[in-house]
Amino acid sequence: MSGHSNYIPKTGFERWLDARLPIARLAYDSLVDFPTPKNLNYWYTFGGILALCLGIQLVTGIVLAMHYVPHVDHAFASIERIMRDVNYGWLIRYMHSNGASMFFIAVYAHMFRGLYYGSYKAPRELLWILGCVIYLLMMATAFMGYVLPWGQMSFHGAVVITNLFGALPLIGQSITTWLWGGFAVDNATLNRFFSLHYLMPFMIAGVVILHVWALHVTGNNNPTGVHVQSKADTVPFHPYYTVKDGFAIALFMLMFAAFVFFSPNALGHPDNYIPANPLVTPAHIVPEWYFLPFYAILRAVPDKLMGVLLMFGAIAVLFILPWLDTSRVRSLRYRPTTRMYFFIFVVACLVLGFCGGRLPDDYVIPGLKSFQLLDADLNSMVWLSRFATAYYFAYFLIILPVMGLTENPLSQPKSISEPVLSHSAALPVGAAASPEKRG
Amino acid sequence: MLRKCLAIAALGLALAGGPALAAGSQKEPRTVEWSFNGPFGKFDRAQLQRGFKVYREVCAACHSMDLMSFRNLGQKGGPFYDPKYPNPNDNPDVKTIAKDFETSEIDQETGDIVKRPATPADRFPNPYPNEAAARAGNGGALPPDFSTLSKARMGGADYIYSLLSGYSTPPAGLEVPSGQYYNPYMLGDVSAFWKGKGHAPPGGFIAMPPQLAADKVTFDDDTKSTIDQQARDVAAFLTWASEPKMEERKAFGVGAMIYLLILAGLLYMSYKRIWRNVAH
Amino acid sequence: MADSVTGANPEHGADGDDPSRRDFIHIAAGVAALGAAATVAWPVVDQMNPAGDTLALASVEFDLTKVQLGQSVTIKWRGKPLFIRHRTGAEIAAAIKDDKAVLRDPATDEVRHKPGKAEWLVLIGTCTHLGCVPTFGGGDYGGWFCPCHGSHYDTSGRIRKGPAPTNLEVPEYAFLSDTVVKVG
């Protein structure tokens, strides 16, 4: 799929360039002529959307860094100065702060799509792992970015997250002190977080290049999970997918704009408009919404070290996923039982997110007193998050390995073109699961 | 589409977690039909002017507004904006207001700190020289800075309005600590001080005594100066001060949404044309 | 775009549609997308222009009673030095005498101060060559001398010798009263 090139330099300059630096050939092969399965649905547009998100964050971030002052005495005021005095500063700052949330919405959609269609399975294991690296870097970048406005949530969020490392035996305290550069989160911490927050997006961009490279080696997966067999299965990336991605991007931007212009603080927390005060902690510390599921896993465990390990384990398990799923069938479209477990998994993730935003002792069903189980009432958020956490890990560590061996999958089409040509009539799940019908 | 709805519902669920957190025991703020609500909302200039007067005559004695300069009052969208003076520094209303305040500067010849009348470029002077003095002057409580207050409180303008106009006599059985005042909208928990029967009353204690009173502020536009009116107007003013570019933002946003809708429509048609002959 | 559509997929290209309409939709979509990018580009460019708080400090008022006859005061204005010189009769006379001399950037002393206020000279204190700050009292013409590259200015701030192309710039200013000037 890679290696062969259809690029023909037309002008003298193109031939001259092609003999020295075949950059036009690279662009042509990867963005124009790249053969792409013709049955990709809208879930496959999130890759393009994510590229745009990264671009927006980079541009707005570089601009914000021109005005931001990374000092505990000036950080809060400098951001408000951007909002009040810098020309279009309000637009650039709100795009950046809401852009982080949009980035995570898109990345979660992208990941769930990969999980559903088995895009992590051979030969795309490295493609998936590179994606997980990007996700990890995104989380680190988003966390450090949230510290920069130096509001109450910034400060106390930084305190809580850096203290997680203190849970590690022996070296924990030294690591925390090293991260802080002092005895607490302070100016030194803010400065290094700013520096790293500026650096990491470029690391993300680097891994994105590897991610796209790996994609172009193996080619796209597709909703059937069946390998591309002939030219009839594919269309050139341009104009077929540039225009489809473009349309999806326009829709995504509509949602983005609705937040930026009409509800710019809906995804944030009011306490972050109070300047940081190390002596007073806000009544309820919550991370940004995209971290809530992991926060719920952390709090589900009564032991500090175990909680931290489980939280990191929730991400680590994604890295070994390609070897946990034992099925030979990629797409869950042809694995009805596993598909059911997958949808329960999605619900479990949502439940974790919901629990992460509540207090552990809050009732799940208000006012219903049940009974005390170990350390908490059964009808409490903490028990709900325990069940959801258990399912989260069970899905990866038990359900996927076992189902791959025991499940009897539906018959797959022989090629991508087959279900298209037969108009899905013969396929038991094709009619319901073929997203093109709904596109 | 179904799964798209699911994704949106997921986001909604995740968001529901946030606001629900602060739902303590206090009363939900009363909602007001603000002129600045909604995608086409704009501030009511007259209300902002009244609100500024309330701030200036009542609140400013204790509450700083460090991020505000006098010139902001005359900038586009501000309470004293006058299209005749695109540079707010030249706005006579702003100049007059600024002149009534004193600000300190260092005398370039002697090095002493001297007082001089403020200019439009100056910040609102802080009523206290430092945080310790502010606490000492208020029984240990720090009056919060008002620059971003409306964004920094759950409920925003509704909350400020409800709190200011919502002081009530503490129910019998509630022991109010000295130097504290009961307010049903205040974030907090009074159950430790509740000696009555049943549930503790909603709300919390606040170190600020009720500040507003009928006719305490005389409005220049003959609006009847009730507690409710003063609370409303100052809440509107503080909301403007928190987000002075809100009108610009919403106007830009309406244009951006229309443009994006057209763009999406064009791309959809282009997409349909390009794909029309591909079986997929 | 339309070319590449048919070119890329010739097997689907044969249909009876009016090609101009097909062109129009693709071109309109492409132009609209470029327009969106351009609209976003402007705020990114404009944010580098002076911000509201910077512009707010763009004008200063100055009390002239602080400057004795024959003295100058340097204040900071828009981040640059501003010379406010209370000129002596001799300086004014020397400046007027040189009105007829051969000047690189011809200007009479008359136009370089406000009418009837010949004793007050207000100048932006950066050399018009490359922006260094000239000192008073040096040079061959009794005015300012720039140490960086040797430009000589006279008592009216006019360039007389050296590499600078133009006279020291007179900012926009006005007398608010006999003793207060507003610069900017």
Side-chain angles (χ1 to χ4, degrees):
Chain A
M1 209 165 272
S2 67
H4 174 70
S5 175
N6 290 322
Y7 175 68
I8 302 156
K10 289 195 194 84
T11 64
F13 173 73
E14 284 175 79
R15 275 191 295 277
W16 182 88
L17 186 69
D18 197 49
R20 287 155 181 83
L21 181 68
I23 191 164
R25 179 180 297 274
L26 179 72
Y28 182 83
D29 290 347
S30 44
L31 296 172
V32 179
D33 192 37
F34 181 57
T36 311
K38 62 185 183 183
N39 61 337
L40 301 188
N41 56 33
Y42 279 108
W43 287 96
Y44 283 79
T45 59
F46 283 101
I49 289 170
L50 282 164
L52 182 78
C53 284
L54 179 62
I56 289 175
Q57 293 305 90
L58 277 168
V59 169
T60 54
I62 288 168
V63 165
L64 289 173
M66 295 181 192
H67 303 282
Y68 172 72
V69 183
H71 187 283
V72 290
D73 293 340
H74 304 292
F76 186 87
S78 75
I79 293 220
E80 276 300 319
R81 178 180 170 272
I82 291 170
M83 302 281 289
R84 288 153 193 267
D85 285 332
V86 172
N87 302 319
Y88 293 106
W90 56 269
L91 173 64
I92 291 158
R93 195 263 169 151
Y94 277 150
M95 277 177 80
H96 197 71
S97 59
N98 285 286
S101 285
M102 297 303 124
F103 210 151
F104 276 96
I105 290 174
V107 90
Y108 284 135
H110 195 64
M111 289 166 78
F112 279 122
R113 188 269 290 157
L115 284 174
Y116 185 81
Y117 294 119
S119 302
Y120 48 85
K121 291 171 76 66
R124 298 186 183 81
E125 303 95 323
L126 268 181
L127 179 60
W128 170 263
I129 288 172
L130 286 168
C132 292
V133 172
I134 294 171
Y135 176 54
L136 256 185
L137 285 171
M138 273 176 66
M139 292 207 284
T141 311
F143 158 65
M144 287 193 235
Y146 194 58
V147 175
L148 301 184
W150 209 244
Q152 275 290 66
M153 279 291 167
S154 297
F155 178 85
H156 294 281
V159 170
V160 169
I161 301 294
T162 48
N163 269 312
L164 289 181
F165 294 93
L168 298 173
L170 298 172
I171 49 165
Q173 198 50 52
S174 316
I175 290 184
T176 326
T177 310
W178 175 75
L179 280 174
W180 288 340
F183 305 108
V185 173
D186 208 334
N187 196 45
T189 326
L190 177 62
N191 268 290
R192 61 192 59 184
F193 278 15
F194 177 55
S195 172
L196 294 173
H197 182 71
Y198 203 110
L199 167 71
M200 285 191 161
F202 295 98
M203 293 167 68
I204 292 177
V207 185
V208 165
I209 290 173
L210 297 181
H211 189 69
V212 174
W213 185 9
L215 171 74
H216 283 93
V217 172
T218 62
N220 269 292
N221 185 26
N222 66 80
T224 65
V226 177
H227 264 313
V228 168
Q229 270 144 27
S230 70
K231 240 192 134 203
D233 289 345
T234 66
V235 289
F237 188 78
H238 178 77
Y240 290 92
Y241 283 106
T242 41
V243 73
K244 188 169 186 173
D245 282 2
F247 172 58
I249 284 172
L251 291 185
F252 190 80
M253 290 305 287
L254 270 169
M255 174 181 72
F256 191 174
F259 275 110
V260 167
F261 294 111
F262 303 114
S263 209
N265 293 311
L267 298 168
H269 197 289
D271 277 354
N272 223 27
Y273 282 108
I274 303 170
N277 180 356
L279 306 182
V280 185
T281 302
H284 305 295
I285 283 278
V286 271
E288 292 283 87
W289 69 266
Y290 37 82
F291 292 140
L292 287 175
F294 299 102
Y295 194 54
I297 293 176
L298 172 77
R299 292 193 308 189
V301 188
D303 179 74
K304 185 177 175 183
L305 177 61
M306 282 307 292
V308 172
L309 289 181
L310 215 56
M311 187 179 78
F312 285 114
I315 300 162
V317 73
L318 296 174
F319 281 82
I320 53 165
L321 170 64
W323 295 277
L324 290 174
D325 185 353
T326 51
S327 174
R328 274 182 300 171
V329 177
R330 277 199 197 85
S331 175
L332 292 188
R333 194 183 269 188
Y334 307 106
R335 301 173 64 191
T337 321
T338 314
R339 187 169 66 211
M340 197 186 68
Y341 286 118
F342 171 80
F343 285 126
I344 299 172
F345 171 76
V346 175
V347 171
C349 292
L350 296 179
V351 165
L352 281 173
F354 176 74
C355 293
R358 301 293 176 123
L359 292 178
D361 291 334
D362 277 358
Y363 287 123
V364 179
I365 304 158
L368 176 76
K369 226 178 165 69
S370 57
F371 58 91
Q372 190 82 6
L373 185 63
L374 298 177
D375 59 342
D377 194 285
L378 185 64
N379 179 26
S380 67
M381 289 295 165
V382 70
W383 269 110
L384 183 61
S385 39
R386 277 170 194 170
F387 292 130
T389 305
Y391 187 83
Y392 181 98
F393 284 98
Y395 179 74
F396 289 115
L397 299 174
I398 301 169
I399 295 174
L400 281 181
V402 172
M403 286 309 292
L405 299 174
T406 60
E407 184 185 38
N408 197 9
L410 303 172
S411 66
Q412 297 180 81
K414 288 196 179 57
S415 76
I416 292 171
S417 302
E418 191 193 69
V420 176
L421 296 176
S422 65
H423 292 282
S424 320
L427 278 162
V429 289
S434 158
E436 305 80 35
K437 289 266 184 282
R438 284 176 239 124
Chain B
M1 275 303 139
L2 182 88
R3 271 172 264 172
K4 205 160 275 173
C5 293
L6 217 118
I8 290 164
L11 179 67
L13 194 67
L15 293 180
L21 256 182
S25 67
Q26 74 280 8
K27 269 168 92 168
E28 283 291 313
R30 284 164 287 159
T31 47
V32 178
E33 286 290 317
W34 300 105
S35 65
F36 48 82
N37 281 350
F40 302 99
K42 278 183 160 25
F43 291 110
D44 172 356
R45 286 305 137 235
Q47 183 172 46
L48 294 186
Q49 293 188 9
R50 294 194 299 268
F52 173 65
K53 198 161 186 196
V54 176
Y55 168 72
R56 180 182 174 175
E57 293 180 9
V58 183
C59 321
C62 302
H63 290 277
S64 59
M65 235 170 154
D66 284 344
L67 300 174
M68 289 287 289
S69 300
F70 294 105
R71 68 183 162 86
N72 293 132
L73 297 170
Q75 76 189 18
K76 207 169 178 194
F80 296 96
Y81 175 63
D82 184 340
K84 267 189 290 182
Y85 304 98
N87 180 353
N89 289 348
D90 301 332
N91 186 311
D93 293 333
V94 174
K95 281 184 164 176
T96 317
I97 292 165
K99 217 175 280 173
D100 291 344
F101 288 82
E102 274 201 328
T103 193
S104 32
E105 72 172 3
I106 292 167
D107 188 305
Q108 288 304 319
E109 279 152 37
T110 63
D112 296 335
I113 293 171
V114 292
K115 292 275 184 192
R116 63 160 172 83
T119 67
D122 286 313
R123 302 260 168 151
F124 284 15
N126 194 314
Y128 299 102
N130 50 53
E131 190 187 318
R135 284 189 188 277
N138 291 283
L142 178 69
D145 184 86
F146 273 5
S147 314
T148 55
L149 191 78
S150 188
K151 285 193 288 191
R153 293 292 182 277
M154 197 71 76
D158 287 341
Y159 169 78
I160 296 170
Y161 159 73
S162 300
L163 183 90
L164 286 176
S165 61
Y167 283 92
S168 60
T169 39
L174 186 67
E175 287 177 5
V176 181
S178 81
Q180 301 275 308
Y181 302 85
Y182 169 69
N183 190 309
Y185 297 98
M186 183 72 184
L187 186 78
D189 185 3
V190 298
S191 48
F193 300 87
W194 177 240
K195 302 281 180 281
K197 284 192 183 70
H199 263 295
F205 297 121
I206 179 170
M208 177 177 75
Q211 292 296 334
L212 301 178
D215 295 320
K216 188 166 178 179
V217 180
T218 312
F219 290 133
D220 303 329
D221 59 0
D222 298 327
T223 304
K224 200 157 183 293
S225 185
T226 60
I227 290 181
D228 188 82
Q229 190 66 42
Q230 293 165 16
R232 242 169 232 267
D233 293 347
V234 80
F237 171 71
L238 293 177
T239 304
W240 167 79
S242 287
E243 198 75 336
K245 295 292 173 77
M246 187 207 75
E247 287 181 6
E248 194 184 337
R249 188 184 81 217
K250 288 182 175 174
F252 198 112
V254 170
M257 297 296 276
I258 293 170
Y259 193 100
L260 282 170
L261 273 173
I262 295 170
L263 176 65
L266 283 172
L267 282 165
Y268 185 71
M269 287 195 285
S270 183
Y271 160 61
K272 277 292 166 197
R273 294 220 129 236
I274 286 175
W275 280 82
R276 72 195 178 287
N277 287 324
V278 182
H280 69 288
Chain C
M1 233 197 249
D3 284 348
S4 53
V5 175
T6 44
N9 228 19
E11 63 271 31
H12 305 301
D15 57 55
D17 278 349
D18 175 14
S20 64
R21 193 181 145 214
R22 196 171 48 197
D23 281 347
F24 171 74
I25 285 170
H26 301 321
I27 290 167
V31 167
L34 284 179
T39 314
V40 178
W42 170 242
V44 171
V45 172
D46 191 36
Q47 54 86 20
M48 299 234 288
N49 278 319
D53 58 337
T54 313
L55 292 174
L57 298 171
S59 60
V60 288
E61 291 177 17
F62 185 76
D63 180 4
L64 295 170
T65 56
K66 290 179 187 166
V67 192
Q68 306 293 316
L69 183 70
Q71 300 278 309
S72 25
V73 161
T74 307
I75 59 172
K76 199 167 139 188
W77 175 70
R78 293 185 180 171
K80 288 184 286 197
L82 188 75
F83 297 150
I84 297 169
R85 176 143 191 94
H86 194 168
R87 297 195 292 182
T88 61
E91 286 172 50
I92 299 167
I96 293 171
K97 191 165 85 44
D98 283 354
D99 279 352
K100 295 177 201 80
V102 180
L103 297 169
R104 181 175 302 163
D105 180 13
T108 59
D109 189 56
E110 186 78 41
V111 302
R112 295 183 55 80
H113 59 73
K114 294 290 165 191
K117 303 278 186 188
E119 68 272 32
W120 294 109
L121 191 61
V122 179
L123 299 170
I124 295 173
T126 52
C127 182
T128 56
H129 180 218
L130 291 169
C132 294
V133 182
T135 51
F136 188 79
D140 302 345
Y141 294 87
W144 286 267
F145 172 70
C146 180
C148 289
H149 306 96
S151 291
H152 301 250
Y153 298 92
D154 65 14
T155 52
S156 189
R158 291 173 297 204
I159 180 67
R160 304 301 294 271
K161 191 178 156 189
T166 57
N167 301 333
L168 287 178
E169 194 184 334
V170 179
E172 200 180 296
Y173 70 101
F175 279 85
L176 296 184
S177 70
D178 271 355
T179 55
V180 178
V181 283
K182 181 187 168 212
V183 186

